[in-house]
DNA sequence: GATGGTACTGCAATCGTTTTCATAACTTAT
DNA sequence: ATAAGTTATGAAAACGATTGCAGTACCATC
């Protein structure tokens, strides 16, 4: 591979001038620019990025931390982020933590070792107190899930309101014995979502049996499993709030096998409004999250921080939800 | 950030020795190893990856070229690849070409600029004759879609056989007027798939109207659109072979609106066996692709090439298909 | 006691850029 | 005619690691 030195020799100039041409520095005569361009072309020269990175102390790469890329919520989020990143000549490094704290730390270390310029958390495993220390190596922001006390921008949805609206819908439709499926851990996201549910329930003066509260519900199979548990109860709920359309789809599919009809015997509320929501039968009533918008917004914020070297500051950027009514609620 | 120089000073040794400790070179006394370890810890030293990359001419990063990450086939593929890559301390750079030749070339250029060590094509846009030139900058392999003449390993499925089996199934169930939805371009994958379909059709002595051949069918919406076209035909097909479960799901959903019953009025065959296939109603009869296995195998092959510095050679590694019968075919 | 091998360490060159500083030519203002 | 810009270029010092070569010390062998 030819180096800048080779180009310099062929062009009869110094490496410094070549570099100036590459980085279109002012103060290079048109004449030399042409000579250099010709020499570069002749040799098929391309600058070595690692040398540039070492010298410039920048990688033009942003890491996005997610649980798993095969989760459609994350894959859509990442897709939209990538579009914005690419447009600004940044590369995206997708980091799957798989709910593993150690892996998350391993990825955060890329910031220390200068392999990435910044980190976007779309899901978080470790406590903020642990992550905090990495702030001095580069900007960190949150998107979707977050750590509340972090002094950084947080692009998210008003989860409390979202689940409040959804729960309210169930109540308005006359369901009285509400069940709840929550996400994996004690994250801010699941906490807010649960609080919204509880607020609506309390407001309506309903009782929720502890038996009806499920945790760690994430996948289609989790949904099926939960339905089986419900089917075996003496005292069944008449509606269920789920944390994702996948869980809702699993519930609905399994309900058919157990002769439980949706929405009459059991109302089902999804979350996200994934494509799947309108394909299953009955279609899933769900809370629409503007996934792509979140991704775009978060990346916009990050790019802005990187190019204008803004200081990070605590800031909530909330995007709106809305309810999509289909047939899984009566 | 402390450098190797700082560690050397604190430890009272030369940078060379520190480097040897980092790379656990033989011939470093245990005594010095301990001193160095202590000094590194005290300073919170981590080697700068860009300096290492420049010096070693390696990045420990592999690019995977796909169309879009939000396509569940690709997101599953990437997820399994990432697991293997991570296990071998390689990072994965996910490159979405979005069916854009220029973008693909832009990503290939990362090989030239030394930002990646190798490329795995999971979908390909440009002609092999164009891609070929990049081989001298690093290993390239194919997985899923491929260029037949490329002198490199190709991890794929016997698409011809897969679609032959599927089409045969439709014929065995008594469908006689078969329709076909193909992928986007003139890739080897779509060519083989179509050939398999045609072979089965010809073997059964059936006729296929040109009207029944659809192209560029990839998404749920494409499926819906195709159904609408079919609904408006005087001479409707009685079964349809699709290139993906998404298209099949779109067809099925839209069929309900048009009063066309699946599987009786129209048999529908999917491809991939995505989770969605068992959620829609009726469940989709489909060709199961071992997506994760393909990802794992392809990454195994690539890692092997990188660590044992094997020469690339033309090689087909084919994984098996099987048919999953559900309710969308009678 | 000369020779050769092994274990350990450091010097300095190298990877391929960018950028500061110095220099010089040419304008323009005084 | 001199001072003070402006434009254009190159030499050389970074950036932060790795590694070939050389040197020293120690031990074993003939």
């Amino acid at each position: 591979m030819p180096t800048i030195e080779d180009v310099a020799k062929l062009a009869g100039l110094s490496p410094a001038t070549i570099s100036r041409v590459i980085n279109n520095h002012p103060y290079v005569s048109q004449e030399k620019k042409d000579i250099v361009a010709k020499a570069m072309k002749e040799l098929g020269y391309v600058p070595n990025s690692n040398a540039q990175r070492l010298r410039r102390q920048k990688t033009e790469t942003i890491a996005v931390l997610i649980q798993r890329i095969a989760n459609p919520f994350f894959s859509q989020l990442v897709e939209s982020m990538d579009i914005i990143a690419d447009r600004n000549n940044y590369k995206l490094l997708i980091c799957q933590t798989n709910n593993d704290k150690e892996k998350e730390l391993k990825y955060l270390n890329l910031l220390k070792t200068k392999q990435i310029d910044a980190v976007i958390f779309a899901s978080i495993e470790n406590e903020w107190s642990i992550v905090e220390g990495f702030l001095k190596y580069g900007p960190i922001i949150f998107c979707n899930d977050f750590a509340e006390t972090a002094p950084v921008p947080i692009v998210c949805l008003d989860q409390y309101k979202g689940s409040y609206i959804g729960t309210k819908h169930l109540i308005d439709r006359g369901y009285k014995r509400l069940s709840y499926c929550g996400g994996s851990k004690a994250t801010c996201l699941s906490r807010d979502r649960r609080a919204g549910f509880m607020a609506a329930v309390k407001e309506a003066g309903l009782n929720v049996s502890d038996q009806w509260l499920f945790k760690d519900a994430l996948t289609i199979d989790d949904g099926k499993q939960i339905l089986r548990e419900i089917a075996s109860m003496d005292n069944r709920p008449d509606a269920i709030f789920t944390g994702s359309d996948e869980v809702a789809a699993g519930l609905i599919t399994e309900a058919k096998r157990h002769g439980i009809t949706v929405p009459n015997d059991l109302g089902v509320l999804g979350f996200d409004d994934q494509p799947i929501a309108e394909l299953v039968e009955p279609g899933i009533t769900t809370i629409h999250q503007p996934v792509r918008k979140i991704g775009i917004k978060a990346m916009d914020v990050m790019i802005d921080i990187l190019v204008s070297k803004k200081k990070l500051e605590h800031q909530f950027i909330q995007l709106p939800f809305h309810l999509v009514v289909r047939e899984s609620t009566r």
Side-chain angles (χ1 to χ4, degrees), chain A residues 245 271-275 277 284 286-289 322 324 326:
Chain A
D245 291 335
F271 214 104
D272 289 355
D273 197 19
Q274 294 287 334
I284 304 174
T286 192
I287 313 291
H288 176 87
Q289 296 207 59
H322 66 263
V324 177
R326 294 203 179 85

Side-chain angles (χ1 to χ4, degrees), chain A residues 253-267:
Chain A
T253 306
E254 192 71 10
K256 287 174 196 159
R257 287 203 194 116
H258 289 261
I260 297 178
T261 63
V262 175
N264 287 333
D265 297 341
L266 186 71

Side-chain angles (χ1 to χ4, degrees), chain A residues 210-266:
Chain A
D210 275 354
Q211 217 191 351
W212 299 343
L213 299 175
F214 298 93
K215 279 192 299 187
D216 302 327
L218 290 166
T219 63
I220 293 168
D221 283 334
D222 294 337
K224 290 183 183 172
Q225 175 55 32
I226 288 171
L227 191 112
R228 271 177 245 123
E229 289 183 38
I230 288 176
S232 71
M233 289 180 187
D234 294 332
N235 182 28
R236 292 184 190 166
D238 65 356
I240 182 159
F241 176 107
T242 70
S244 77
D245 291 335
E246 279 109 321
V247 174
L251 279 161
I252 289 173
T253 306
E254 192 71 10
K256 287 174 196 159
R257 287 203 194 116
H258 289 261
I260 297 178
T261 63
V262 175
N264 287 333
D265 297 341
L266 186 71

Side-chain angles (χ1 to χ4, degrees), chain A residues 296-308:
Chain A
I296 291 171
K297 184 68 199 172
M299 191 52 75
D300 277 343
V301 169
M302 183 51 97
I303 301 271
D304 189 40
I305 290 169
L306 288 171
V307 303
S308 64

Side-chain angles (χ1 to χ4, degrees), chain A residues 136-299:
Chain A
K136 63 171 171 289
Y137 306 116
I140 294 175
I141 69 169
F142 286 96
C143 139
N144 182 43
D145 207 346
F146 58 94
E148 207 152 29
T149 55
V152 304
I154 297 170
V155 178
C156 64
L157 299 155
D158 189 341
Q159 299 290 342
Y160 178 95
K161 206 164 171 185
S163 69
Y164 177 86
I165 293 172
T167 311
K168 197 81 170 41
H169 167 78
L170 291 175
I171 293 167
D172 288 347
R173 296 294 169 109
Y175 295 107
K176 297 219 182 305
R177 300 136 58 79
L178 306 192
S179 169
Y180 179 87
C181 303
S184 52
K185 293 164 317 291
T187 65
C188 292
L189 184 148
S190 6
R191 186 204 52 194
D192 289 356
R193 217 177 257 188
R194 181 163 169 152
F197 172 82
M198 286 304 182
V201 164
K202 200 154 284 174
E203 195 181 289
L206 299 176
N207 276 330
V208 173
S209 158
D210 275 354
Q211 217 191 351
W212 299 343
L213 299 175
F214 298 93
K215 279 192 299 187
D216 302 327
L218 290 166
T219 63
I220 293 168
D221 283 334
D222 294 337
K224 290 183 183 172
Q225 175 55 32
I226 288 171
L227 191 112
R228 271 177 245 123
E229 289 183 38
I230 288 176
S232 71
M233 289 180 187
D234 294 332
N235 182 28
R236 292 184 190 166
D238 65 356
I240 182 159
F241 176 107
T242 70
S244 77
D245 291 335
E246 279 109 321
V247 174
L251 279 161
I252 289 173
T253 306
E254 192 71 10
K256 287 174 196 159
R257 287 203 194 116
H258 289 261
I260 297 178
T261 63
V262 175
N264 287 333
D265 297 341
L266 186 71
V268 175
L269 184 79
F271 214 104
D272 289 355
D273 197 19
Q274 294 287 334
I276 202 184
E278 63 151 352
L279 294 177
V280 297
E281 184 151 314
I284 304 174
T285 295
T286 192
I287 313 291
H288 176 87
Q289 296 207 59
V291 201
R292 301 201 125 78
K293 279 191 195 148
I294 309 177
I296 291 171
K297 184 68 199 172
M299 191 52 75

